[in-house]
Amino acid sequence: MMALIKMILLLILITMMDFHGIIYRGVEQKKDAGYQGRTTDINPLLLHGGKLSGSWRFVQFRSNGAPPVRDRELVKITGGMDQVLMSFFPDSTFTRVYHTGAYDFGRYSYDENERSLLLTANRKTEELRVVVQTSPSGKQRLMVEFLPGKSLSLAQYGEPMQKFREDPFSIQNNAWRIRPDTVETKDQIFARLINYIGHNASILRAAYTREQDFISWEFSKGIIKVYNVGIGIVPKNEVPQAWIDSFHSRDDAMQCYALFENYLRNGKHTKHNSGNWVKDDYQILADIREGLLRWQKTGVRE
């Protein structure tokens, strides 16, 4: 058996095994006794206009229809439970964000004949069998079987945005996560900071639009500190390693930190007080992004 493809990883757990040249598709999904809901093919419930959509988070392993278990082998392969967020968009693109800060993206398609999802990223294509479960309350989750007797449960994390490019986890809003191979110039670091600010603004905008009960930065750890109402910066000694790892080096990351810190101290800031802190903090971040764009154009750095 060939080694599991490196960086394979989950959320839909998109683990592909190459066993003598055969890709394992999974078997017919069985309804597990521990879940009182109905199972259907993926197509009727999740495809909107022919496209899969929304964000999905890894929930737990199930083995042979038994209650959730911690399978040591699978946890070792995937890096643990509740560690990945996958998002699908109507232009056939998808993104994967790992709890560690690792990130990849690519394109997907759905094979109706095989009832399987095909994902292409990093010049590799992964194929997996997907079935949807819907509870009586209407909540949906995906069940993905990726090894014989091993299935993965994915819960919906975020509903599709009306304009998908405004989704926090769209490819457009996550360019800052792509680690460069070489040291970056100040202009490149500036652009990375602006994209990072835009990503955080989109988290708040999506939360306000979706009327979410909670807002999480679990998959977006960084240097922004959110207040009620206000935006600040985390102390230097508390900068998450996951954020630093998105840069070529720690030095580049600290240059970016200094640019943001300098703008907060010296940039012009408009007060927002609508009574809704989520909406106000979104507007503050949007203002900061526009201010940074002006600084970049005019050459302001220090």
Side-chain angles (χ1 to χ4, degrees):
M1 179 180 294
M2 296 179 65
L4 286 173
I5 296 175
K6 190 177 181 180
M7 263 329 271
I8 335 183
L9 294 142
L10 22 155
L11 219 159
I12 254 188
L13 200 15
I14 300 184
T15 304
M16 182 181 81
M17 290 197 68
D18 188 349
F19 183 74
H20 299 304
I22 299 173
I23 297 175
Y24 176 75
R25 294 180 183 275
V27 298
E28 289 294 332
Q29 177 67 31
K30 298 180 179 62
K31 180 178 177 181
D32 67 80
Y35 187 71
Q36 299 302 314
R38 66 181 184 274
T39 61
T40 75
D41 296 332
I42 191 173
N43 194 38
L45 291 176
L46 296 178
L47 294 179
H48 300 279
K51 300 295 181 183
L52 187 64
S53 59
S55 294
W56 300 81
R57 181 198 173 122
F58 179 34
V59 180
Q60 57 198 188
F61 288 116
R62 287 182 178 272
S63 179
N64 296 321
V69 296
R70 278 190 175 274
D71 187 300
R72 292 184 180 180
E73 180 183 354
L74 293 177
V75 170
K76 182 178 180 181
I77 291 171
T78 63
M81 315 240 292
D82 299 326
Q83 298 294 305
V84 185
L85 183 71
M86 177 169 277
S87 301
F88 297 93
F89 304 101
D91 63 346
S92 298
T93 60
F94 74 92
T95 61
R96 276 185 291 204
V97 182
Y98 301 92
H99 194 266
T100 60
Y103 165 77
D104 64 0
F105 62 94
R107 301 189 66 81
Y108 75 89
S109 62
Y110 180 67
D111 187 329
E112 291 192 41
N113 293 327
E114 298 294 343
R115 298 176 181 176
S116 61
L117 195 60
L118 301 172
L119 301 105
T120 301
N122 301 318
R123 299 183 180 179
K124 294 182 176 68
T125 297
E126 307 163 54
E127 180 173 6
L128 57 151
R129 184 66 174 275
V130 183
V131 174
V132 177
Q133 287 189 328
T134 304
S135 70
S137 65
K139 296 287 185 180
Q140 293 182 349
R141 66 179 182 181
L142 302 179
M143 294 297 291
V144 180
E145 187 163 283
F146 59 97
L147 289 173
K150 305 294 183 182
S151 61
L152 177 68
S153 180
L154 304 174
Q156 191 168 35
Y157 185 87
E159 296 178 357
M161 297 288 289
Q162 187 172 5
K163 297 180 179 179
F164 74 90
R165 288 183 176 82
E166 295 178 353
D167 190 287
F169 296 98
S170 68
I171 290 176
Q172 293 80 3
N173 281 323
N174 288 269
W176 63 275
R177 297 183 189 271
I178 303 173
R179 188 177 186 274
D181 295 327
T182 59
V183 175
E184 292 191 299
T185 65
K186 274 193 174 181
D187 279 339
Q188 289 172 322
I189 291 173
F190 221 105
R192 187 176 293 273
L193 173 61
I194 289 169
N195 187 258
Y196 166 70
I197 298 296
H199 167 75
N200 280 266
S202 68
I203 290 177
L204 291 169
R205 188 178 190 280
Y208 178 73
T209 301
R210 293 167 173 163
E211 299 182 344
Q212 292 175 198
D213 294 329
F214 68 93
I215 306 173
S216 172
W217 272 266
E218 179 182 3
F219 293 97
S220 303
K221 296 181 178 70
I223 59 175
I224 290 175
K225 196 170 183 66
V226 176
Y227 296 96
N228 180 6
V229 171
I231 296 297
I233 189 169
V234 303
K236 283 186 179 180
N237 62 347
E238 295 179 14
V239 175
Q241 188 62 43
W243 185 78
I244 293 173
D245 289 343
S246 65
F247 292 83
H248 179 263
S249 66
R250 183 179 181 84
D251 287 345
D252 280 9
M254 289 302 101
Q255 283 191 54
C256 187
Y257 181 99
L259 286 172
F260 184 48
E261 184 179 41
N262 186 42
Y263 183 82
L264 292 180
R265 288 178 176 174
N266 301 306
K268 294 181 180 180
H269 306 290
T270 302
K271 290 185 178 180
H272 296 278
N273 189 19
S274 70
N276 184 310
W277 73 268
V278 177
K279 182 179 180 180
D280 291 340
D281 278 359
Y282 156 70
Q283 192 59 62
I284 292 170
L285 281 174
D287 290 349
I288 289 173
R289 182 181 179 278
E290 291 302 312
L292 285 167
L293 283 169
R294 288 193 297 272
W295 274 29
Q296 185 181 34
K297 289 178 181 178
T298 58
V300 176
R301 292 294 186 275
E302 271 96 43

